[in-house]
Amino acid sequence: MTKRRILDLLRNGEPEEQATIQGWVRTKRESKKFAFMEVNDGSSLANLQVILEPTLEDYEEKLEQLNNGASVEVTGTLAESPGKGQSIELQATAVTVYGEADPETYPLQKKRHSFEFLRSIGHIRTRTNTLGAVMRVRNSCANAVHQFFQQHGFLWMHTPIITTNDCEGAGELFNVTSFDLNNVPKENGKVDYSQDFFGQPAYLTVSGQLEAEAMALSFDRVYTFGPTFRAENSNTSRHLAEFWMIEPEMAFCDLQGDMDWAEAFLKHIFQTVLDECPEDMEFFNQRIDDSVLTTADNIINQGFERITYKSAIALLEKADKQFEYPVEWGIDLQSEHERYLCEEHFQKPVILTDYPSEIKAFYMRLNDDEKTVGAMDVLAPKIGEIIGGSQREERLDILEKRIKEAGIDPEQLWWYLDLRRYGTVPHSGFDLGFERLIQFMTGIQNIRDVIPFPRTPDNADF
Ligand code: 4AD
Ligand code: MG
């Protein structure tokens, strides 16, 4: 008999069927006549209840071994469960204990543990309901990302993790070197990078966007989905030193097209996760944040409002509300402003476009007014900015000028400029941080709890 996953048994198991499961004991209860245990194999939030009768071989000895955290294989017969909340249970006919877990030292007790404590046991915390649900949602979400782009003819490209582009200005960089740091070669008092591995300074990538643009000019539609690194020393609930980023890039696509893609993408991701992980999403709504399902519904079912930055500023200025940060043309919107727009004024997702060029990156396309650029940010209720994107500057002369204005040496971006010399085309793209997306989707407060093994300042354990 082949083994079955618990999720499959809970959804499709029929009484009288024989089944074998493998997993870890969550709880065990003994009564005079028999014992129950709950077993989980990570495939679902719900455990499978197993009934152990004294007729089992070595019954007493096995009961001693079957403590929380022990690994076990159970073969038995499925039966309708009389207990409430469960449809099916397994009446064991054979039990193998693979590995015991000493109840004196096993770190997960039958009580609610704080997220902080759980982070200190990163190797075991995914055996809890909450972290288990997060990782299943994360998996479903990653799969949905690929599904969406593959269905629409995007090429998945792997961007380099090591880069010599230090000029995109997206964040603080980690250096990559093979120097012995106790004995760094110097010339005229400065580090001599010509002797380093790459013959020049190299870094861990902060974004694959510029490479994605190059590939979009060969394949029309591409996307990146991979790890990025930022050495920002900010110990916040939204920053990781290592995180995953999704960056689609579309050739022959203007800002309108960019917005259409971003909206369709978000709708698809949220819908897929609701379809694939309904119990987990329900769990988040009940236990973590009771707006999670409403937010998802809002993203899936509402058309996104589209307004310019200029109109947004006018709306905010007129708003009957006292903001902490005063509003005027030229400011970078704060989250209180973004939340007012989508939670109070429009009550649905909003895409803001055409930001002042001063507060946006050099590669964004300059509008005819020469004051604003073709940028777009997608803001969602309860979430704030979830996607940032833009139409890219495809005109060589204007791009060169913008690069210089940003204080960057155009020589360093020679290849990026080449893309405007040879077969340039209007093109657009957007980005989103994968862990931020999971945070929004699940309502989990701290970004450290939506990635299996988080890397943050002073922490790279496990
Ligand atoms: O907004 P960012 O800096 O944008 C770029 O890197 C652009 N070059 C990408 C582009 O336009 N294609 O970063 C992209 C996203 C942010 O929106 C945020 O969700 C996430 O990455 N992010 C982080 N997530 C976790 N930890 C951090 N330290 C993050 N910094 C940015
Ligand atoms: Mg951004």
Side-chain angles (χ1 to χ4, degrees):
M1 196 186 339
T2 54
K3 105 169 163 174
R4 286 175 70 181
R5 302 305 303 275
I6 286 173
L7 177 67
D8 172 39
L9 290 178
L10 292 171
R11 286 189 181 164
N12 309 314
E14 297 282 351
E16 306 296 315
E17 271 184 71
Q18 300 293 300
T20 296
I21 56 148
Q22 296 171 324
W24 291 264
V25 177
R26 284 288 178 89
T27 62
K28 177 189 64 179
R29 279 172 295 143
E30 292 174 53
S31 73
K32 285 214 185 76
K33 296 207 185 105
F34 52 91
F36 303 97
M37 66 178 178
E38 303 264 344
V39 178
N40 193 286
D41 66 358
S43 63
S44 67
L45 184 68
N47 305 317
L48 183 67
Q49 176 153 289
V50 175
I51 313 296
L52 305 161
E53 309 244 14
T55 48
L56 268 178
E57 215 181 312
D58 304 324
Y59 177 71
E60 297 292 333
E61 187 195 335
K62 289 209 165 123
L63 276 197
E64 293 255 304
Q65 297 174 326
L66 290 168
N67 293 303
N68 297 1
S71 49
V72 68
E73 177 177 289
V74 183
T75 297
T77 313
L78 294 178
E80 232 158 281
S81 173
K84 63 172 188 305
Q86 265 141 343
S87 54
I88 206 106
E89 61 187 25
L90 186 64
Q91 290 172 336
T93 51
V95 173
T96 309
V97 181
Y98 277 83
E100 291 184 53
D102 180 358
E104 296 293 311
T105 55
Y106 187 58
L108 289 176
Q109 298 301 320
K110 226 204 149 213
K111 60 166 191 174
R112 238 174 157 163
H113 294 289
S114 72
F115 281 106
E116 208 162 27
F117 169 73
L118 290 175
R119 272 171 232 142
S120 74
I121 50 164
H123 56 312
I124 287 179
R125 67 173 181 165
T126 37
R127 294 189 198 176
T128 61
N129 285 341
T130 307
L131 269 291
V134 167
M135 295 310 151
R136 279 185 298 276
V137 163
R138 186 179 166 106
N139 173 63
S140 168
C141 210
N143 194 29
V145 169
H146 286 300
Q147 242 177 38
F148 178 83
F149 290 125
Q150 294 294 330
Q151 276 167 8
H152 291 101
F154 284 65
L155 183 113
W156 180 25
M157 59 172 291
H158 302 107
T159 39
I161 286 173
I162 300 173
T163 179
T164 53
N165 286 336
D166 65 341
C167 36
E168 199 200 328
E172 301 291 321
L173 299 147
F174 283 104
N175 284 81
V176 175
T177 178
S178 59
F179 281 152
D180 169 0
L181 294 184
N182 289 311
N183 187 17
V184 175
K186 295 212 166 151
E187 190 159 289
N188 304 328
K190 288 201 164 160
V191 177
D192 181 9
Y193 283 105
S194 70
Q195 294 187 51
D196 202 355
F197 191 91
F198 297 105
Q200 56 181 313
Y203 313 92
L204 292 181
T205 187
V206 294
S207 151
Q209 184 201 315
L210 302 192
E211 287 95 346
E213 283 187 54
M215 291 282 278
L217 295 199
S218 300
F219 298 98
D220 186 353
R221 296 174 187 170
V222 302
Y223 68 107
T224 73
F225 184 6
T228 43
F229 307 85
R230 302 216 178 157
E232 293 158 310
N233 206 351
S234 43
N235 243 319
T236 79
S237 61
R238 292 194 154 208
H239 289 87
L240 290 166
E242 177 178 306
F243 62 99
W244 286 61
M245 191 140 65
I246 300 158
E247 295 173 288
E249 191 71 36
M250 295 76 70
F252 308 99
C253 179
D254 63 10
L255 192 65
Q256 292 303 318
D258 204 25
M259 289 190 275
D260 294 341
W261 281 116
E263 181 169 347
F265 170 78
L266 276 185
K267 287 178 154 59
H268 175 85
I269 303 294
F270 276 82
Q271 184 66 62
T272 305
V273 172
L274 284 185
D275 291 345
E276 289 184 350
C277 305
E279 294 90 3
D280 294 322
M281 290 301 289
E282 187 65 49
F283 172 82
F284 292 124
N285 204 66
Q286 272 178 22
R287 300 287 284 271
I288 303 292
D289 178 343
D290 65 7
S291 65
V292 155
L293 291 179
T294 325
T295 303
D297 179 70
N298 201 297
I299 288 178
I300 294 166
N301 295 309
Q302 299 277 353
F304 294 10
E305 186 73 32
R306 299 175 182 194
I307 62 163
T308 62
Y309 170 91
K310 191 173 164 197
S311 324
I313 292 290
L315 274 174
L316 291 165
E317 280 173 338
K318 276 205 312 252
D320 183 19
K321 190 168 178 117
Q322 199 57 43
F323 293 113
E324 195 185 327
Y325 293 89
V327 177
E328 59 173 336
W329 201 93
I331 62 159
D332 217 349
L333 294 182
Q334 301 293 319
S335 77
E336 56 172 344
H337 306 133
E338 299 179 343
R339 293 186 67 158
Y340 171 81
L341 291 171
C342 45
E343 284 166 32
E344 296 183 45
H345 191 85
F346 292 111
Q347 300 185 354
K348 57 177 174 172
V350 179
I351 312 185
L352 289 191
T353 61
D354 305 293
Y355 285 74
S357 61
E358 288 81 32
I359 58 171
K360 290 290 183 185
F362 70 84
Y363 49 72
M364 298 190 178
R365 191 179 195 277
L366 194 63
N367 287 329
D368 292 343
D369 62 13
E370 298 195 355
K371 273 170 46 187
T372 58
V373 289
M376 62 111 182
D377 280 356
V378 183
L379 315 175
K382 286 282 183 178
I383 290 177
E385 187 197 319
I386 185 165
I387 284 183
S390 66
Q391 184 169 344
R392 319 306 191 187
E393 185 55 76
E394 86 283 14
R395 297 160 297 187
L396 179 63
D397 52 335
I398 300 177
L399 183 60
E400 267 177 333
K401 196 164 151 251
R402 297 264 293 144
I403 287 175
K404 283 184 200 143
E405 281 167 7
I408 300 167
D409 177 7
E411 275 298 299
Q412 280 191 287
L413 286 172
W414 66 272
W415 60 273
Y416 189 69
L417 288 163
D418 252 10
L419 298 168
R420 279 71 182 167
R421 284 189 188 99
Y422 309 116
T424 192
V425 62
H427 62 287
S428 301
F430 59 86
D431 69 77
L432 71 164
F434 189 56
E435 285 73 20
R436 299 258 176 101
L437 176 66
I438 309 295
Q439 268 190 290
F440 301 148
M441 201 168 261
T442 59
I444 295 281
Q445 285 286 320
N446 196 309
I447 198 164
R448 293 166 175 82
D449 304 321
V450 299
I451 186 166
F453 301 103
R455 270 78 183 99
T456 50
D458 290 324
N459 171 44
D461 290 344
F462 307 107

